[in-house]
């Protein structure tokens, strides 16, 4: 009689992790459909300069994204590195800068996606971004009678 073999557990994400990932993706898609004027009414112009360098400090990509009031907001950047599917999400940083009404800010991050499935080595590409914002003038407060 052959010995009993137990099925191996799937090493992928659990059903709950997949559900959370789907919800986050749907929220991201809903946010990306909004225009700059709808999400941030006080912002007149937003410019994001991006530079992505590889682990050996070589320049992989450089671009500047300029958003006007009628442009759709998409603050996610695909990693061009060797991971093949990494993403840099700049949404939280942009919201923090615009809610504080800063005119300029710089930030950086490193892609933490594994090089291939099951690998302990991470991609290591570095994103450096510079955010510049121009705001609409605030209305002058009405004079209060004394």
């Amino acid at each position: 009689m052959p010995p009993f073999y137990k099925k191996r557990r799937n090493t992928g994400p659990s059903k709950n992790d997949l559900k959370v990932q789907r919800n986050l993706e749907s929220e991201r898609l809903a946010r990306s459909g909004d225009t700059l004027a709808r999400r941030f009414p006080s912002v007149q112009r937003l410019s994001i300069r991006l530079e992505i360098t590889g682990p050996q400090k070589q320049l992989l990509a450089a671009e500047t994204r300029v958003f006007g009031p009628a442009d759709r907001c998409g603050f996610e950047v695909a990693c061009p590195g060797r991971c093949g599917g990494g993403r840099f999400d700049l949404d939280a940083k942009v919201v923090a800068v615009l809610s504080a009404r800063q005119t300029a800010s710089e930030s950086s991050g490193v892609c933490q996606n594994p090089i291939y499935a099951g690998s302990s080595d991470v991609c290591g590409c570095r994103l450096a971004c510079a955010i510049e914002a121009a705001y609409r003038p605030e209305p002058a407060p009405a004079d209060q009678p004394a």
Side-chain angles (χ1 to χ4, degrees):
M1 182 164 168
F4 174 73
Y5 290 104
K6 185 177 176 182
K7 282 187 175 180
R8 290 189 179 174
R9 184 180 181 279
N10 184 8
T11 58
S14 68
K15 286 196 275 186
N16 191 38
D17 291 339
L18 291 173
K19 179 181 172 184
V20 168
Q21 188 175 6
R22 283 193 306 269
N23 288 340
L24 290 174
E25 184 69 20
S26 66
E27 287 176 11
R28 185 189 64 78
L29 286 174
R31 281 193 315 255
S32 68
D34 287 344
T35 61
L36 185 66
R38 187 169 178 186
R39 277 190 76 186
F40 309 104
S42 64
V43 178
Q44 184 175 10
R45 183 176 177 270
L46 178 67
S47 173
I48 302 175
R49 187 173 30 109
L50 307 166
E51 287 185 3
I52 301 175
T53 56
Q56 290 82 25
K57 309 290 187 242
Q58 74 275 23
L59 184 66
L60 297 178
E63 68 176 293
T64 301
R65 296 182 181 180
V66 179
F67 300 96
D71 295 331
R72 294 192 185 277
C73 302
F75 303 127
E76 197 167 273
V77 181
C79 176
R82 52 191 181 161
C83 64
R87 302 193 88 53
F88 297 101
D89 191 7
L90 302 174
D91 194 52
K93 180 64 178 176
V94 170
V95 169
V97 168
L98 297 181
S99 62
R101 290 189 62 93
Q102 295 177 345
T103 56
S105 177
E106 291 187 5
S107 182
S108 64
V110 178
C111 181
Q112 295 296 320
N113 267 15
I115 296 173
Y116 55 88
S119 172
S120 62
D121 294 334
V122 294
C123 177
C125 289
R126 176 176 280 286
L127 169 72
C129 73
I131 301 170
E132 296 176 2
Y135 299 94
R136 290 193 174 101
E138 290 186 19
D143 291 335
Q144 299 286 334

